[in-house]
Amino acid sequence: MRTATYRDSSYRTRADTGSRALSWALSLGIAALLLYALLRMGGVVRGDFGDRRPLSTFDVSAQGQRAETAATKRTERARQSGRQRTAPAKRERPVERPAETPPPPPPLAELKLPGVMILSRSDYAASDIGKIKGTAPAPGSGAEGQQSASAGAGDDTPTVGKGPGGEPLYAAEWYRRPTRAETSPYMPRGRAGWGMIACRTAPRFHVEDCRELGESPGSGIARGLRQAGWQFLVRPPRRGGQPLIGVWVRIRFDITIEPASEQSGPGE
């Protein structure tokens, strides 16, 4: 069995009407705020559109094109006539001036040094001995040629025997005699006698490849000469006026003993 209840219908109706009015008021307020916000941010563009000018029409027929072409021609003619009237006067040609030539440089002062002779190019060319023609007669022509040939033959260094290997042996001619200080460290002390060696001539008056030829029995002088030979300066033999390098020359030393000191000297 259901319990009977009583509800006041008049109170419920008044409450619903008030709440609806409040909802409508809030909705309108929110819409007004949104519209105001759009206007402030530029979301709605205000003002008049267009320049309020009436629309104009134009004709695209052949007659309209002719009229437009005639008007364009008249405008071009007017522009050309205006250009001709306002044409600038002819420019005057600039006067050409001759180029200025720079002044010549001053002549150099003559260089003078004490004790120095300054030669020009022509002087240098004249001093070239390679271009000077010889005036001596050719060898073998006449009496003078025979004399020069005999003189050349006399300048040849004579041989004094056979060297190592049977090669010619020439007598040595000193370019500079060795000193006592150069030979004494190699010579035996307290012994007199002689020693002989053979050496090959080398460039710049030196000798090399020295070998013993003979000595006083038991003196050891030839061995000392062979060891000191790297210091010897000897003129090379000559043949036909030309020095001979690489040939054998004979070098002899004679050593004597004096009471006060040991005396030695080269023989050849």
Side-chain angles (χ1 to χ4, degrees):
M1 180 178 183
R2 296 181 179 179
T3 304
T5 58
Y6 172 79
R7 296 181 181 178
D8 190 358
S9 60
S10 62
Y11 175 76
R12 179 179 179 86
T13 304
R14 287 195 300 270
D16 293 340
T17 304
S19 61
R20 289 178 181 178
L22 180 60
S23 299
W24 279 103
L26 290 175
S27 299
L28 292 175
I30 291 172
L33 289 175
L34 291 174
L35 181 60
Y36 178 74
L38 290 174
L39 292 174
R40 293 288 296 175
M41 291 188 299
V44 179
V45 180
R46 294 176 295 177
D48 299 332
F49 298 95
D51 52 1
R52 295 182 180 181
R53 291 186 298 177
L55 296 177
S56 61
T57 60
F58 55 91
D59 188 5
V60 295
S61 62
Q63 185 177 1
Q65 291 181 358
R66 294 195 195 95
E68 186 178 355
T69 305
T72 304
K73 290 182 178 180
R74 287 196 297 271
T75 305
E76 291 293 334
R77 291 174 184 172
R79 288 180 181 177
Q80 293 179 0
S81 62
R83 290 176 183 174
Q84 292 177 358
R85 292 174 183 174
T86 59
K90 294 182 179 180
R91 296 181 180 178
E92 296 181 358
R93 294 183 179 178
V95 179
E96 296 181 357
R97 297 181 180 179
E100 296 182 359
T101 57
L108 297 177
E110 185 178 357
L111 181 62
K112 294 183 178 180
L113 298 175
V116 177
M117 182 174 61
I118 300 176
L119 301 178
S120 62
R121 291 185 178 181
S122 58
D123 296 335
Y124 276 111
S127 62
D128 188 1
I129 60 175
K131 298 180 179 180
I132 300 176
K133 296 181 179 180
T135 57
S141 59
E144 295 181 357
Q146 294 177 358
Q147 292 178 1
S148 61
S150 61
D155 292 340
D156 293 346
T157 305
T159 59
V160 293
K162 298 291 183 179
E167 298 181 14
L169 182 65
Y170 298 89
E173 180 184 357
W174 290 107
Y175 177 76
R176 181 185 64 82
R177 290 182 177 272
T179 63
R180 182 186 298 271
E182 293 174 345
T183 58
S184 59
Y186 303 96
M187 295 299 174
R189 297 184 180 274
R191 293 184 182 181
W194 61 273
M196 187 182 302
I197 60 174
C199 302
R200 287 187 183 274
T201 56
R204 298 183 180 182
F205 306 103
H206 287 276
V207 293
E208 59 186 5
D209 193 17
C210 295
R211 302 183 184 182
E212 302 176 15
L213 293 181
E215 62 181 0
S216 299
S219 63
I221 298 175
R223 182 176 67 254
L225 288 177
R226 177 176 56 80
Q227 295 174 354
W230 63 273
Q231 306 174 91
F232 296 165
L233 297 178
V234 176
R235 297 183 185 276
R238 303 180 69 85
R239 179 183 298 169
Q242 299 297 326
L244 301 178
I245 304 298
V247 299
W248 295 99
V249 292
R250 185 186 66 183
I251 300 175
R252 177 188 174 98
F253 262 62
D254 295 315
I255 298 178
T256 59
I257 299 177
E258 295 181 357
S261 61
E262 181 180 342
Q263 186 73 21
S264 64
E268 292 181 355

